Amino acid sequence: MSKGKILVTGGTGYIGSHTAVELINSGYDVVIIDDLSNSSADVVDGIERITGVRPAFVEGSCANPHVVAKLFAEHPGINAIINFAASKAVGESVKKPLLYYRNNLNILINLLEQMAPNGVKGIVFSSSCTVYGEPDINPVTEQSPIKKATSPYGNTKQIAEEIITDAIASGEPIKSVILRYFNPIGSHPSAEIGELPNGVPQNLIPYLTQTAIGLREKLSIFGNDYNTPDGTCIRDYIDIIDLARAHVKAVERLLDPSTPQIEIFNIGTGNGLSVKQLVDTFEEATGVKVPHVYADRRQGDIEQVWADPALANNVLGWKAETPLAETLKNAWRWQLRLRERGIM
Ligand code: WQD
């Protein structure tokens, strides 16, 4: 007996695919839509290999209202949406702000418009700790001040939260759970799916594992003169499976008629870790050296940000559980699998 039908937009992406696996494992039917601009349809095969279930897959962009209307017509009975679909490269968003505002906000608005007419109860929105900017105090709670976004990408997340809030305040008969992620890392333990960025990775872990396997000459640690214990930036790195499981909990909240119309949760471990500590932990966990040098600071980087996850722990009933060493071993296993398959 299915617990419900969930639409996962951006579901062949890094976080979307891992969430699709956890939803299927928890008894939900999953429909994926993805424009494949930053992922491959092969990911659907990986989801099937892990779960034994092949989710329905539609190739298309939710930025096109006709695509969204057709999707709901062809897949009736969707109970909730998890919206991952978005352009998400911080640096690119500075160069192409109009693309980011058009794509990310049209996707959300097109989905919101189709919810009530199709009886969709709620939407989980993929937000980000970037809404906090450089916090005055760490750890950040959901009540920490929202700072002016430092990139158009981050601004699309802030504006999206406001759009959802205003839509619900206007009387739309829908609910929302907004999840503010910290730094997702790692891959599925099976190494059937994982993080596969196009081109030169911007994020730390894929660049680190590509360096460890010899695809990159060295890892540049962007800045060791920050006001932190070892001079490198501090982040809250959260295992991708733990993050995926937070979305299952969020769907359960949405489908429970007794919960509030809109809730916001920080999804992090509550532990701040420096870049150097991450490199050291990777080397200890895998026995593999990561050639690295200290380089100049990267423009736009936050010095330190990590979560107070108490609300998610106590209200959502979710807690990060995966030890960091296991997460990093999974990331390494994925990099090795990519080489075995000749993908990189
Ligand atoms: C982490 C740390 C870098 C690469 C981004 C987005 C954020 C969210 C998560 C979507 C920083 C350092 C990195 C490298 C390095 N994405 N670093 N050398 O910037 O914290 O957050 O991803 O929601 O919105 O901004 O993640 O992995 O790029 O960087 O030293 O080659 O690693 O300086 O301190 P970030 P990141």
Side-chain angles (χ1 to χ4, degrees):
M1 175 64 182
S2 167
K3 285 185 183 173
K5 187 187 284 190
I6 312 300
L7 171 63
V8 180
T9 74
T12 55
Y14 174 40
I15 306 173
S17 56
H18 287 83
T19 301
V21 165
E22 296 305 315
L23 284 167
I24 292 168
N25 288 344
S26 301
Y28 291 94
D29 294 329
V30 169
V31 178
I32 290 175
I33 183 166
D34 201 299
D35 66 3
L36 301 182
S37 59
N38 195 23
S39 60
S40 152
D42 297 348
V43 171
V44 180
D45 303 330
I47 293 168
E48 184 178 15
R49 284 196 296 272
I50 295 169
T51 63
V53 173
R54 188 172 188 81
F57 173 64
V58 175
E59 180 178 350
S61 168
C62 293
N64 179 333
H66 306 298
V67 167
V68 177
K70 184 167 179 283
L71 176 78
F72 280 100
E74 293 177 353
H75 295 274
I78 286 170
N79 302 110
I81 300 169
I82 305 181
N83 183 33
F84 293 107
S87 304
K88 64 146 197 152
V90 173
E92 183 187 49
S93 78
V94 175
K95 298 187 186 78
K96 302 176 182 173
L98 299 183
L99 179 148
Y100 271 68
Y101 288 115
R102 180 193 298 279
N103 190 51
N104 293 2
L105 301 180
N106 279 352
I107 287 170
L108 176 65
I109 291 166
N110 291 339
L111 291 168
L112 291 171
E113 284 182 334
Q114 290 289 340
M115 287 177 69
N118 289 284
V120 180
K121 294 186 178 68
I123 183 168
V124 179
F125 179 68
S126 165
S127 188
S128 168
C129 61
T130 45
V131 302
Y132 299 115
E134 182 79 66
D136 303 321
I137 299 168
N138 278 299
V140 291
T141 72
E142 291 77 1
Q143 284 67 48
S144 293
I146 301 300
K147 295 272 186 80
K148 179 165 173 36
T150 55
S151 71
Y153 162 77
N155 205 19
T156 66
K157 293 299 184 186
Q158 291 183 5
I159 296 169
E161 290 192 8
E162 290 167 9
I163 289 172
I164 292 168
T165 304
D166 291 348
I168 287 174
S170 74
E172 282 286 334
I174 59 170
K175 298 170 68 172
S176 183
V177 172
I178 293 172
L179 301 181
R180 291 174 180 164
Y181 312 152
F182 285 69
N183 286 57
I185 61 170
S187 300
H188 195 272
S190 67
E192 293 293 352
I193 55 176
E195 189 171 10
L196 192 53
N198 288 337
V200 178
Q202 296 304 304
N203 288 135
L204 177 60
I205 289 303
Y207 201 103
L208 185 153
T209 56
Q210 288 184 18
T211 302
I213 205 165
L215 285 170
R216 309 277 170 203
E217 185 198 346
K218 62 185 179 308
L219 169 71
S220 296
I221 295 181
F222 298 138
N224 67 330
D225 58 351
Y226 286 98
N227 182 25
T228 61
D230 64 18
T232 64
C233 293
I234 294 174
R235 295 287 186 278
D236 186 328
Y237 295 99
I238 173 167
D239 182 273
I240 189 66
I241 307 295
D242 287 335
L243 178 60
R245 288 175 178 156
H247 290 79
V248 179
K249 289 289 188 183
V251 164
E252 287 167 9
R253 285 285 296 172
L254 284 181
L255 299 183
D256 173 350
S258 70
T259 58
Q261 263 203 296
I262 186 164
E263 296 182 286
I264 298 177
F265 298 102
N266 284 343
I267 302 299
T269 67
N271 304 313
L273 204 68
S274 78
V275 178
K276 182 66 171 67
Q277 284 175 310
L278 203 73
V279 172
D280 293 347
T281 308
F282 177 89
E283 293 184 336
E284 284 154 31
T286 61
V288 178
K289 283 293 178 200
V290 181
H292 58 275
V293 294
Y294 290 112
D296 293 338
R297 295 182 174 192
R298 179 172 67 176
Q299 190 186 1
D301 270 343
I302 305 290
E303 178 178 274
Q304 45 190 316
V305 57
W306 67 92
D308 174 346
L311 203 62
N313 301 161
N314 302 328
V315 175
L316 199 54
W318 169 89
K319 186 172 175 56
E321 295 167 340
T322 308
L324 177 64
E326 188 179 324
T327 301
L328 295 173
K329 278 190 263 190
N330 289 338
W332 178 234
R333 192 176 301 123
W334 168 246
Q335 189 67 60
L336 290 172
R337 180 65 62 85
L338 290 175
R339 181 170 65 182
E340 282 165 25
R341 290 183 182 164
I343 295 171
M344 72 167 51

